[in-house]
Amino acid sequence: MAGGITDTEPPSAPTSLTAAVTAGSVSLGWTASTDNLGVTGYDVFRDGYQVASVSGTTTSALISGLMPATSYDFTVRARDASGNISALSTPLKKSTGPYVPESPAPYPGTQKTRTQWLWGKTKVMKEESGAVNVAQYTAQLADHENVATNLAKLDTQFQSYDYEQYKTMAKMYSYLMVGDQFSPAMRAHVRSYFASYAYQKLPQTENLRMSNYATGYLVGQYFPDLADLNGNSGAQLKAANKANILEMVNAGVRSGWAEYQSPEYTFMTYFCLNALYQWADDSQLRRQVKMAMDVMWFEWANDWIDGYMISSESRAKGDLSCVNDPTWRPADHSVLAWTYFGAHRAQEGVGESDNPAPSAYRPNLEYAGLAAWPGTKYTPPEPAVELGRKTDKSYTAHKANLQNSSGHAMDIYRTSYVRPTWGLGTEVQYRRVDNWVEDL
């Protein structure tokens, strides 16, 4: 009822729906509806779900947060003051544009220029969710850029507790890479941060366990007088966490990494192994983590087909890692392998702020850039690099995990090799007990 008049007449449907697109948004416009008493608002629908509402005097809407190169159906309806709603407009199907990186990767480039690009991207990442980008601050400090600002930001971060253990490893990287620039007060915050955890055996996912153990070992080495929440310090922390690390390395090399099919999780495990190879003072530990990284690189090389990483489903978010969609996560979480193997294409993006996927699906992969630090000691085996660069592979490989993410072993390692001309997959099953090498 409006002005004492009962109104049951709905507005006319909006007409002439138009759209302008970018990689991640659609700007809609339409011709205004008519109503006997007046239109008070419009509702916008994407694929049948309402995604926006605007006032009756507005005939446009910006729909953002969309995936690149993806088709969507849009409709609009009108409302009046009495709650009457119009029929939906004629649907408009529109596809978003292709993803265009803000700083295009070198193509084809060289291994050196691709690595330099990744390092540069790390230094210019956005702070999408606030001041949390430890990798960006650390990378800039490593190159002595914006020193005062970045030290202040890092100091704030070391005064924040992290509930996910992989972030403790990122902060350990930061301390070991640029800690010589920290003030005494900041070093006190670093000590307090690392003392707020218990570096002990965990029932969590593989990457979180390795993050906890590797950080605990390095805490024992670099802060020998610092006790964790269990009261362990120095040699105790090193011995306990070395045992936990080697147990995981043994399982990973003999039986396959549990999270192989979740590449961003596997990278975090690699990130921890790399930290140990870079900074651990135990030569045996360094040899064995190097062996584990070497095995990872051979597996990545086997799965790198014509410039793309081929893998099966990601257990982290349930989405499919697929060669047919290079703008999706494979273009992101395989960026480290791309620096060595990827001369066939430009890298699509890297890290949370550069990933066009919706925020719920963006893993925190900023840390991949720290592995491109010029001071990194580890380099992949040359045969693995040669294999990864081969363009004449006639198969795609799909792997199945040998152990689940809590470390429970599965006996058989399965790899399916699929050739398009076969029309079917050939599955090879084997035990990897012969892959263990004590010294490399």
Side-chain angles (χ1 to χ4, degrees), residues 209 258 402-410:
R209 284 183 286 133
L402 265 173
Q403 41 175 334
N404 63 27
S405 60
S406 295
H408 297 148
M410 298 167 64

Side-chain angles (χ1 to χ4, degrees), residues 44-51 66 70-75 92-94:
V44 181
F45 295 81
R46 184 195 71 214
D47 296 334
Y49 294 93
Q50 185 173 336
V51 291
L66 306 179
T70 301
S71 179
Y72 297 96
D73 287 324
F74 295 95
T75 51
L92 176 67
K93 182 180 288 292
K94 275 290 180 180

Side-chain angles (χ1 to χ4, degrees), residues 13-33:
T15 59
S16 303
L17 198 57
T18 62
V21 302
T22 68
S25 67
V26 171
S27 180
L28 295 169
W30 56 87
T31 298
S33 298

Side-chain angles (χ1 to χ4, degrees), residues 259-267 311 313-316 329:
E259 293 165 355
Y260 181 85
Q261 294 184 73
S262 178
E264 77 281 9
Y265 279 24
T266 301
F267 169 74
S311 186
E313 290 187 2
S314 164
R315 69 157 298 281
R329 288 169 55 178

Side-chain angles (χ1 to χ4, degrees), residues 29-63:
W30 56 87
T31 298
S33 298
T34 59
D35 185 70
N36 61 323
L37 295 179
V39 174
T40 59
Y42 295 94
D43 301 321
V44 181
F45 295 81
R46 184 195 71 214
D47 296 334
Y49 294 93
Q50 185 173 336
V51 291
S53 292
V54 296
S55 72
T57 59
T58 302
T59 56
S60 63
L62 177 65
I63 312 303

